[in-house]
Amino acid sequence: MRVFLGITGASGAPYARRLLRALAGAGCDVGVCVSRAAIEVLATELYADARLSRDEILARLTEGTGDAVTIYEVDDWRAPYASGSAKVDAYIICPCSMGTLGTIASGAMQNLIHRAASVALKEERKLVLCPRETPLSTIHLENMLTVRRAGATILFLAPGFYHGRGSLETMTVDDLLDFVVARVLDQIGLDNALIPRWGS
Ligand SMILES: Cc1cc2nc3c(=O)[nH]c(=O)nc-3n(C[C@H](O)[C@H](O)[C@H](O)COP(=O)(O)O)c2cc1C
């Protein structure tokens, strides 16, 4: 399965890392594009070191993923994800900032992440957007409705607490990440057993 993963500058870098590893582990061919703001958030949330270079951050992020992952620059218009003629099974933006969401909703394409999302919508392919912001303004809500009406799936970075991994005392941050990542994988039709399924 060929998947595009856009990582933007909303809080939620741990979800992006977990998702990337799950996609690579499942044998997907993953094209990754990381926005400039996302580099700052990755440095802050994953490595607690704002001085890390972009190359170092990307090397750490893709560690252990073998040749499953290809990194694309934000202005790489020659990337396969910039055109509808390339075969791509699913597009995910996780986390998705309100800035990127608004740009997609407007139809503007300032970087490869916006362009890939726009291609997904025009080609009627699966596009999963994982926003994180709170509280939400009317502008945010209207942008979400716009992209939903255009065909995108809005999958908020909002973990549930009922996934059968024991009590609150034994539940870990990884369990909460897995809760959301499993829902993303379900959305793109990728079989996974990250969390026990309700009723099973
Ligand atoms: C540490 C940090 C956390 C942020 N968290 C959020 C967030 O949760 N949601 C959001 O929409 N923007 C958040 N932002 C702001 C975005 O990074 C900013 O709007 C940026 O322009 C988004 O650009 P991008 O969509 O190209 O990544 C955060 C920024 C930083 C530095």
Side-chain angles (χ1 to χ4, degrees):
M1 189 176 200
R2 189 183 210 184
V3 181
F4 174 80
L5 174 62
I7 302 176
T8 69
S11 179
Y15 291 107
R17 180 170 63 181
R18 186 73 190 95
L19 179 58
L20 183 59
R21 296 204 170 146
L23 291 168
C28 294
D29 168 5
V30 197
V32 175
C33 184
V34 183
S35 76
R36 293 193 178 90
I39 289 290
E40 193 172 335
V41 179
L42 289 166
T44 306
E45 295 189 335
L46 294 182
Y47 311 118
D49 185 353
R51 291 162 309 168
L52 284 178
S53 70
R54 176 187 169 83
D55 286 350
E56 177 62 26
I57 289 165
L58 294 178
R60 290 194 193 186
L61 181 70
T62 55
E63 206 175 326
T65 57
D67 56 5
V69 176
T70 308
I71 299 282
Y72 293 90
E73 297 296 323
V74 279
D75 55 359
D76 184 355
W77 305 111
R78 292 183 170 275
Y81 306 98
S83 169
S85 65
K87 290 272 190 195
V88 180
D89 299 295
Y91 303 71
I92 304 165
I93 302 183
C94 176
C96 182
S97 74
M98 287 299 133
T100 286
L101 188 103
T103 308
I104 296 167
S106 76
M109 289 164 245
Q110 293 174 346
N111 65 30
L112 180 63
I113 300 173
H114 310 146
R115 173 63 186 166
S118 173
V119 166
L121 294 177
K122 83 182 174 75
E123 300 293 336
E124 300 183 39
R125 295 176 187 160
K126 189 72 187 178
L127 170 64
V128 182
L129 304 178
C130 303
R132 204 237 57 109
E133 184 58 287
T134 196
L136 296 166
S137 71
T138 335
I139 295 169
H140 297 145
L141 291 164
E142 283 178 348
N143 284 338
M144 275 189 246
L145 190 56
T146 299
V147 295
R148 176 66 194 134
R149 284 189 172 136
T153 298
I154 304 282
L155 198 153
F156 236 85
L157 294 176
F161 294 83
Y162 61 85
H163 51 41
R165 285 270 174 83
S167 66
L168 205 54
E169 284 70 35
T170 56
M171 201 179 285
T172 66
V173 171
D174 280 347
D175 292 335
L176 299 178
L177 298 177
D178 281 352
F179 185 96
V180 172
V181 169
R183 304 312 314 276
V184 175
L185 299 179
D186 284 351
Q187 279 297 320
I188 65 167
L190 199 61
D191 209 20
N192 70 89
L194 284 181
I195 58 161
R197 293 189 184 272
W198 185 252
S200 62

